[in-house]
Amino acid sequence: MRQDDLYINKIDWVTICIYVVLVIIGWFNIYAAVYDEQFPKSIFDLSINSGQQLLRIGAAFLIILLIMVADYRVFDNLAWILYIAFLVLLIITPFIGKEVNGQILSIGFGSFRIQPSEFAKFTTALALAKYMERPSFDLSQMKHQFQALAIIMIPIILIMLQPDTGTAMVYFAFFIMLYREGMPQRYYVLALTFIAISLLALGIENNLYLVIGVGAVILILILMGKKKLSRIISFVLLGTVIVAYSYSLDYVVSKLPEHQQNRIMVLFNPDLDPLGAGWNVTQSKIAIGSGGFLGKGYLEGTQTKFDFVPEQHTDFIFCTLGEEFGWVGSSVVIILFCALLIRLVMLAERQKNRFSRVYGYCVISILFFHFMVNIAMTIGLFPVVGIPLPFFSYGGSSLWSFTILLFIFIKLDSHRIQLLGRMG
Amino acid sequence: MNDQRPITIIIAIILVGAVLLTKLFLIQVADDSFLKRAERNAIQRVVDHPYRGLVNDRKGNIMVYNNPIFDLMIIPKEFSVKDTTRFCEIFQISKEELIEGYTAARKYSYVKPSPLIKQISTSEFAKIQDYLIDYPGLFVMTRAVRSYPQPSAANALGYIGEISAAQLERDTLKYYRQGDYVGLSGIEGFYEKELRGVKGVKYKMVNVRGVDKGSFKSGEYDTASVAGHNLTSTIDLALQQYGEKLMEGKKGSVVAIEPKTGEILAIISAPSYDPNVLTGSKFGSNYLLLNRDESKPLFNRPIMAMYPPGSIFKIVQSLVGLQMGVLTPNTTYACNRSLVACHNHSSPVNLFGAIRNSCNPYYHQAYRAMINREVSSSTFKDTEIGLNAWREYVLKFGLGSPLGVDLFNEKGGSIPSSALYDRVYGPGRWKYSTIYSLSIGQGEMLVTPLQMANLAAIFANKGYYYVPHLVKAIDGDNRRIPEKYRTKMEVGVDAHHFDMVQDAMAEAIYGTAARAAIKDITIAGKTGTAQNPQGEDHSVFIAFAPKEDPKIAIAVYVENAGWGGRAAASTASLMIEKYIRGEVTRPSLEEYVLAGKFM
């Protein structure tokens, strides 16, 4: 058997099929989002977003071809160089980039613009994989934990400076990969407890209830265990810290800029300000909610078409789907995403070397986070953060970066036999 | 080493998917409030107002039509004007009005249209039409208002106006909305359901800024408006106008009826007004002016004014007497002026002579014979029984209650019963001497001019009538008018009794109303004088003609014009000639009536 046949045969076509289906559904949705019944234009018309997106989809296929024909070792070898190159781009973006709405996110010439923060996702993933590939790497060691964290934190800080909180948040998704790679479980328990207490502190209007609740839990814990003084003292201290934290959180929130405060409050009660801070969520929920079971039909949506939902072709593209295809359509897409993610977990687990597996889990982490947060925000389960829905949202940078991210992994996966040899 | 961790991650993925699907199910399937909010967002319900039905006269002349008027609308976002002075010149508004209008529109919405100049007439519109293209952000919206080519029959046609709160309350079918126009009086009011048509609804989609984005689902749910039915009025517009001309400067009524059908040929209430003033934007202020006018132009005299019938009632008395068998053509009474005053004529008289000479003492005695039939030994009781029996005959002549013409607020007049006198004098405390003035149509007796015209029709028809009405066909179909206008009403007096009465009425013309006589047309008529305690008596005349084959029955009231033979008979005679001949051959009589200012 020739080597070429070997590698073509190893390509995971299931993943590719799901990818293609998602991209096509996404493209039809972009057309629906910008469709104007009074001046209907062809889906291929380059003067509208769907035509533009088709060009970008074409470019994405070119990128896929490039990745597939490239030597699989190039990603391993160039990991650090790419990581550093994009860090440099992130640093210079605020100086040479174009300002839109107070953010400087993209660089480029004329109409060709890219967002370095989108591409830095896969370079960071490669760097993490490269770094963690070392045989001596052990996540139970504090030193290694910090080093891995540093690789993640540098792009986060640089992106925060643009400022683009939403995209920066995405990089925290790498903790999913770190979890798989053996990061101690207690960090996650601690973090989840912390998030839960934060949500309770913000969600419950009167902190007194929280104090009573925490006090009751602590009391039960004390009574249930051994009644040693040191144990009692540590529990009381813990309770005090939690209460102090929730009060200080309220104080910090009250010092935040108003629009960020509103975003947090609207999460708990979107009807608080339906025409102001709650507008996006309210309208997005109306659009999706009005879709019903089977939806209004393709191109028949009124809420997205008539601009009731802002950012309807980018971050809120899911609204068009929800309105026109209803619960059935939404379910199909959600199931497709879940299937893709689970398939990727299976692929990652069959990798024989750590580089590929770590990279695979990085892909899973990023896609999972985007999918979860983007859809959750359109239905009011999460505050509005401006991050796109993978393969759906309009825009070149996001489509290309997700494509590159995914297909490097498919490429690596198809060479898993050779990579095993290399590991030896 | 970490075998359970990939499983944990897969569980987390499935969990997140399940949470999203559940939440989506909750808002998409379990909760339909979002659908309603979406419709409120994007779908606007626009009522498509139907064209109101037209009204023609009996010969097909247009009486009421819909006239387009134009509202000049402005969209502030698109509006721009370079030369304000020129703009103001073309559109005939002052700079202040322009600024005020623009500011108000701007305040309402930057992108939605608001009216800049309201209710531009067709002729004014013609002047600005060509310039509109030079000014972006301006367009016209067409609406329809009622219009009347001839300023005639105002009270009969009525007017339309904005629906009142009380009417909205009564509209249990919820057809109307606040701000809708409805017929408030006249034919417009009575035939509102026929005229209004059926409203249509258009569902329009609007975007987040309220800008029109076309029809919803290509108009699948839209319904077209259906224009109202056209009415054919019984009115002869030419006759109506002629009557109005004759009544100019006078107070009173003229009602002309086609006896064979009950169709009202002319119904004149003087003084009247031009119906065109109660349309469009001027409605409010003009209505107030008319309402305050001391001559009461909005008071529809033919159906709302009530007068004692006077001498004309003697014909009814004659017929009732004949039918009861109390009188025969040969019954003779002396003209005993000690009972009641009379004119100079030979005495004694028979019934024919009594009608011809309008002899008061004859009817005083004849009426006593009708009332006191000696069925009871008590004079009081006898009178009571007699009065109520007599009243039954009289009511059949369409007196004492509204006839049921197709207009609102018709009054019924009054034919007193024993109950009335019991109330006034106490039971058993009144007798014939209390009520004798009824014998000559005076006293506690009231009729409307419409009822009087109907009496003329009954005399012409020898004992029957059709309820007078103003609409003879709906969409050209005369079977669609209410049943009661097609039902023959018998008055219960044998036809042969009318022969002598008709002859006497024809003779009477030469006695009391010689002016009314027309060469070659036999008129049967009767003068009357309705006593007016406030001033000069009202002049009354009823007639029908030609006697051999009656084509027109008419009642004329001219208020404060004195004895009926003068103003009323002349007017009736001219109307009859106008209707039968189509022209009037007696210019001197016409001049006399036109010049007579009896007010």
Side-chain angles (χ1 to χ4, degrees):
Chain A
M1 219 187 267
R2 290 198 352 244
Q3 197 180 335
D4 278 2
D5 292 337
L6 186 76
Y7 127 75
I8 288 286
N9 289 338
K10 297 284 182 205
I11 288 177
D12 186 59
W13 289 102
V14 175
T15 310
I16 292 177
C17 280
I18 299 176
Y19 166 83
V20 169
V21 169
L22 285 174
V23 167
I24 289 171
I25 298 177
W27 180 56
F28 277 107
N29 262 309
I30 286 170
Y31 180 56
V34 297
Y35 181 77
D36 187 336
E37 199 184 61
Q38 286 176 321
F39 309 101
K41 287 176 176 167
S42 158
I43 191 166
F44 302 105
D45 194 322
L46 290 181
S47 69
I48 58 173
N49 288 342
S50 61
Q52 289 286 319
Q53 189 71 2
L54 188 61
L55 289 183
R56 285 163 193 169
I57 292 170
F61 281 109
L62 278 179
I63 292 170
I64 293 170
L65 277 178
L66 280 175
I67 292 170
M68 289 320 217
V69 299
D71 190 320
Y72 65 91
R73 283 169 294 239
V74 77
F75 306 109
D76 190 335
N77 296 336
L78 289 178
W80 287 117
I81 296 167
L82 284 170
Y83 178 67
I84 289 165
F86 271 90
L87 288 187
V88 172
L89 279 179
L90 282 175
I91 292 167
I92 63 170
T93 296
F95 303 103
I96 62 164
K98 190 175 155 195
E99 183 173 329
V100 179
N101 300 331
Q103 292 175 310
I104 305 168
L105 307 177
S106 67
I107 54 171
F109 314 97
S111 63
F112 182 79
R113 311 199 69 81
I114 58 159
Q115 284 191 31
S117 57
E118 289 291 336
F119 294 97
K121 286 170 197 167
F122 87 87
T123 60
T124 307
L126 283 174
L128 280 167
K130 182 76 184 166
Y131 174 70
M132 290 166 68
E133 183 189 32
R134 291 181 310 176
S136 60
F137 186 82
D138 182 1
L139 265 176
S140 58
Q141 288 180 28
M142 197 75 104
K143 191 181 124 198
H144 290 161
Q145 288 169 10
F146 273 111
Q147 284 166 348
L149 194 63
I151 295 173
I152 298 169
M153 286 309 289
I154 294 167
I156 289 181
I157 291 164
L158 291 175
I159 294 167
M160 292 281 262
L161 291 175
Q162 292 187 342
D164 185 0
T165 325
T167 307
M169 260 173 78
V170 174
Y171 287 76
F172 284 105
F174 289 124
F175 276 92
I176 298 171
M177 178 276 291
L178 291 176
Y179 173 74
R180 165 63 184 83
E181 292 305 315
M183 190 75 138
Q185 204 141 12
R186 59 180 179 277
Y187 294 144
Y188 294 87
V189 175
L190 210 64
L192 289 176
T193 314
F194 176 76
I195 290 168
I197 291 172
S198 302
L199 286 176
L200 283 173
L202 290 170
I204 297 172
E205 293 250 324
N206 192 343
N207 274 348
L208 195 62
Y209 295 122
L210 191 73
V211 173
I212 295 168
V214 170
V217 171
I218 298 283
L219 197 67
I220 291 166
L221 286 174
I222 290 170
L223 292 175
M224 270 167 50
K226 282 185 236 152
K227 304 203 175 37
K228 264 171 64 184
L229 187 65
S230 62
R231 192 171 164 274
I232 294 172
I233 289 173
S234 57
F235 272 125
V236 170
L237 269 176
L238 181 68
T240 315
V241 167
I242 291 172
V243 169
Y245 167 73
S246 56
Y247 274 99
S248 60
L249 188 67
D250 277 355
Y251 176 78
V252 169
V253 166
S254 70
K255 292 290 166 196
L256 280 176
E258 207 178 318
H259 76 275
Q260 288 184 353
Q261 260 190 60
N262 286 342
R263 275 187 184 186
I264 293 167
M265 295 325 288
V266 159
L267 174 66
F268 296 105
N269 186 6
D271 295 331
L272 212 60
D273 185 12
L275 298 178
W279 173 268
N280 288 23
V281 185
T282 310
Q283 293 301 329
S284 161
K285 279 169 82 176
I286 289 175
I288 295 172
S290 66
F293 187 67
L294 285 171
K296 298 176 184 170
Y298 188 54
L299 302 182
E300 299 290 337
T302 51
Q303 303 306 294
T304 42
K305 224 143 263 108
F306 302 142
D307 310 334
F308 287 97
V309 183
E311 311 291 338
Q312 45 173 314
H313 58 286
T314 56
D315 296 345
F316 281 89
I317 187 73
F318 190 75
C319 295
T320 312
L321 184 88
E323 188 181 11
E324 298 192 344
F325 296 102
W327 189 68
V328 172
S330 311
S331 302
V332 167
V333 168
I334 286 171
I335 290 166
L336 278 174
F337 268 109
C338 289
L340 177 68
L341 289 168
I342 292 167
R343 180 71 192 165
L344 289 175
V345 171
M346 289 158 64
L347 296 192
E349 288 298 325
R350 77 181 182 194
Q351 300 309 308
K352 302 293 188 260
N353 72 342
R354 202 172 189 184
F355 178 83
S356 301
R357 192 180 68 209
V358 169
Y359 182 79
Y361 270 103
C362 285
V363 175
I364 294 161
S365 306
I366 299 283
L367 289 179
F368 186 32
F369 187 86
H370 269 272
F371 154 72
M372 175 175 70
V373 171
N374 179 280
I375 295 180
M377 86 179 180
T378 61
I379 55 181
L381 287 175
F382 201 82
V384 175
V385 285
I387 63 167
L389 184 60
F391 318 125
F392 268 71
S393 290
Y394 175 77
S397 290
S398 116
L399 176 67
W400 295 332
S401 75
F402 288 122
T403 303
I404 293 169
L405 191 70
L406 181 64
F407 277 85
I408 288 177
F409 181 56
I410 292 173
K411 174 75 176 171
L412 291 173
D413 174 62
S414 66
H415 290 282
R416 57 188 181 275
I417 309 292
Q418 291 105 305
L419 280 161
L420 173 69
R422 215 177 66 102
M423 250 187 118
Chain B
M1 67 172 204
N2 286 319
D3 281 348
Q4 91 288 3
R5 291 203 174 185
I7 304 295
T8 312
I9 289 172
I10 288 178
I11 291 172
I13 290 167
I14 293 171
L15 208 65
V16 165
V19 166
L20 294 178
L21 286 181
T22 310
K23 175 73 178 181
L24 279 166
F25 185 85
L26 289 179
I27 65 171
Q28 289 187 304
V29 185
D31 186 350
D32 63 355
S33 71
F34 290 102
L35 185 62
K36 290 193 189 103
R37 287 171 75 178
E39 279 170 6
R40 242 181 298 150
N41 256 349
I43 298 165
Q44 232 174 36
R45 193 174 176 277
V46 184
V47 174
D48 182 14
H49 287 278
Y51 265 103
R52 215 172 155 78
L54 308 179
V55 183
N56 290 343
D57 88 335
R58 64 190 294 117
K59 289 178 175 159
N61 300 306
I62 279 272
M63 294 182 82
V64 187
Y65 67 105
N66 298 303
N67 197 18
I69 55 161
F70 306 90
D71 284 351
L72 185 66
M73 308 296 284
I74 181 170
I75 300 172
K77 182 177 182 245
E78 292 163 19
F79 181 67
S80 79
V81 54
K82 286 193 193 83
D83 186 346
T84 325
T85 319
R86 191 175 136 72
F87 179 88
C88 291
E89 234 167 69
I90 294 167
F91 291 94
Q92 296 282 309
I93 55 169
S94 68
K95 253 181 198 164
E96 292 74 32
E97 284 171 317
L98 173 65
I99 293 164
E100 203 177 294
Y102 178 81
T103 317
R106 187 67 226 263
K107 210 172 164 190
Y108 168 65
S109 166
Y110 189 48
V111 290
K112 289 188 220 174
S114 319
L116 181 66
I117 310 172
K118 279 187 179 174
Q119 310 213 354
I120 302 165
S121 70
T122 319
S123 59
E124 286 168 326
F125 176 64
K127 285 181 214 155
I128 63 168
Q129 198 172 10
D130 294 338
Y131 297 102
L132 272 176
I133 195 150
D134 301 337
Y135 298 97
L138 290 184
F139 69 97
V140 286
M141 229 168 63
T142 314
R143 296 198 299 132
V145 290
R146 287 304 235 185
S147 205
Y148 309 85
Q150 302 297 336
S152 237
N155 276 304
L157 294 172
Y159 48 84
I160 60 170
E162 224 167 281
I163 190 162
S164 67
Q167 278 173 303
L168 267 180
E169 194 106 324
R170 280 200 302 276
D171 175 32
T172 47
L173 293 174
K174 299 281 169 222
Y175 178 84
Y176 297 104
R177 292 274 176 283
Q178 186 97 41
D180 277 357
Y181 277 72
V182 293
L184 294 177
S185 76
I187 291 175
E188 296 275 18
F190 197 89
Y191 291 98
E192 165 66 17
K193 277 208 176 87
E194 285 76 12
L195 287 169
R196 71 185 181 192
V198 182
K199 278 190 216 171
V201 176
K202 283 196 170 76
Y203 292 94
K204 277 182 9 183
M205 296 191 289
V206 291
N207 75 359
V208 67
R209 285 170 297 280
V211 176
D212 188 351
K213 301 300 279 185
S215 61
F216 177 60
K217 297 224 169 171
S218 321
E220 196 181 309
Y221 301 115
D222 294 4
T223 52
S225 63
V226 180
H229 301 298
N230 295 335
L231 304 183
T232 307
S233 170
T234 58
I235 287 178
D236 181 317
L237 190 56
L239 185 67
Q240 174 78 21
Q241 283 177 285
Y242 185 65
E244 281 171 8
K245 191 173 117 190
L246 294 178
M247 290 300 285
E248 239 165 58
K250 307 172 185 70
K251 270 188 191 174
S253 308
V254 178
V255 181
I257 296 174
E258 185 178 71
K260 288 188 182 69
T261 57
E263 291 171 7
I264 296 174
L265 301 169
I267 183 160
I268 294 138
S269 181
S272 186
Y273 62 94
D274 179 349
N276 286 302
V277 305
L278 289 187
T279 59
S281 59
K282 304 152 288 179
F283 180 89
S285 55
N286 284 341
Y287 184 84
L288 218 64
L289 280 178
L290 289 174
N291 206 21
R292 282 186 190 151
D293 192 329
E294 298 226 336
S295 67
K296 295 190 178 170
L298 291 173
F299 183 62
N300 195 8
R301 288 179 163 78
I303 59 164
M304 296 170 81
M306 295 188 287
Y307 314 89
S311 301
I312 294 161
F313 192 69
K314 289 167 186 165
I315 301 174
V316 177
Q317 293 289 38
S318 309
L319 290 164
V320 172
L322 285 167
Q323 185 65 27
M324 287 170 85
V326 174
L327 298 180
T328 68
N330 302 319
T331 309
T332 309
Y333 289 110
C335 178
N336 181 355
R337 294 186 202 172
S338 66
L339 296 168
V340 57
C342 199
H343 340 278
N344 277 320
H345 62 82
S346 59
S347 175
V349 285
N350 61 7
L351 183 54
F352 184 91
I355 297 172
R356 189 183 173 284
N357 295 310
S358 198
C359 178
N360 292 339
Y362 184 95
Y363 286 100
H364 187 283
Q365 295 163 81
Y367 189 45
R368 191 206 301 272
M370 286 184 245
I371 296 298
N372 292 134
R373 308 291 301 279
E374 289 167 11
V375 289
S376 169
S377 54
S378 153
T379 321
F380 302 106
K381 193 74 197 162
D382 194 43
T383 307
E384 185 190 321
I385 293 166
L387 175 71
N388 290 339
W390 165 83
R391 187 169 179 268
E392 288 304 311
Y393 283 94
V394 176
L395 293 184
K396 289 198 139 184
F397 283 79
L399 303 176
S401 60
L403 278 165
V405 71
D406 40 4
L407 293 174
F408 294 142
N409 299 322
E410 187 199 356
K411 293 281 185 288
S414 153
I415 303 295
S417 66
S418 61
L420 176 84
Y421 294 106
D422 283 350
R423 247 196 333 275
V424 178
Y425 301 102
R429 301 181 64 174
W430 54 276
K431 52 184 183 176
Y432 181 72
S433 59
T434 324
I435 63 165
Y436 76 92
S437 46
L438 296 178
S439 66
I440 54 167
Q442 303 287 358
E444 298 79 6
M445 185 183 269
L446 292 169
V447 296
T448 64
L450 181 73
Q451 287 173 326
M452 287 297 255
N454 191 47
L455 276 186
I458 292 169
F459 304 153
N461 290 338
K462 298 188 179 175
Y464 72 89
Y465 69 96
Y466 287 92
V467 174
H469 50 279
L470 280 159
V471 170
K472 60 183 283 179
I474 296 170
D475 278 341
D477 184 352
N478 53 17
R479 282 162 309 180
R480 285 172 61 182
I481 62 167
E483 178 74 33
K484 67 173 174 181
Y485 301 132
R486 293 177 279 137
T487 309
K488 199 175 190 177
M489 307 288 285
E490 299 283 352
V491 299
V493 175
D494 299 339
H496 66 89
H497 293 311
F498 285 89
D499 295 337
M500 188 269 289
V501 169
Q502 285 196 353
D503 291 341
M505 284 174 76
E507 275 280 317
I509 293 294
Y510 298 100
T512 54
R515 281 190 192 88
I518 313 170
K519 196 163 173 275
D520 303 329
I521 301 174
T522 324
I523 296 182
K526 179 80 189 80
T527 54
T529 305
Q531 287 186 346
N532 176 20
Q534 272 94 43
E536 186 82 16
D537 288 348
H538 306 316
S539 180
V540 190
F541 186 74
I542 71 163
F544 61 89
K547 177 172 166 270
E548 305 75 33
D549 178 22
K551 296 254 187 312
I552 177 171
I554 189 167
V556 178
Y557 275 76
V558 186
E559 288 187 15
N560 315 112
W563 173 58
R566 209 163 60 200
S570 310
T571 306
S573 170
L574 289 168
M575 290 287 285
I576 289 169
E577 186 179 17
K578 172 79 181 170
Y579 182 67
I580 290 174
R581 282 218 178 103
E583 57 175 353
V584 171
T585 55
R586 294 164 296 167
S588 58
L589 183 67
E590 199 172 25
E591 253 167 58
Y592 165 78
V593 172
L594 286 174
K597 302 260 184 259
F598 305 107
M599 273 169 94

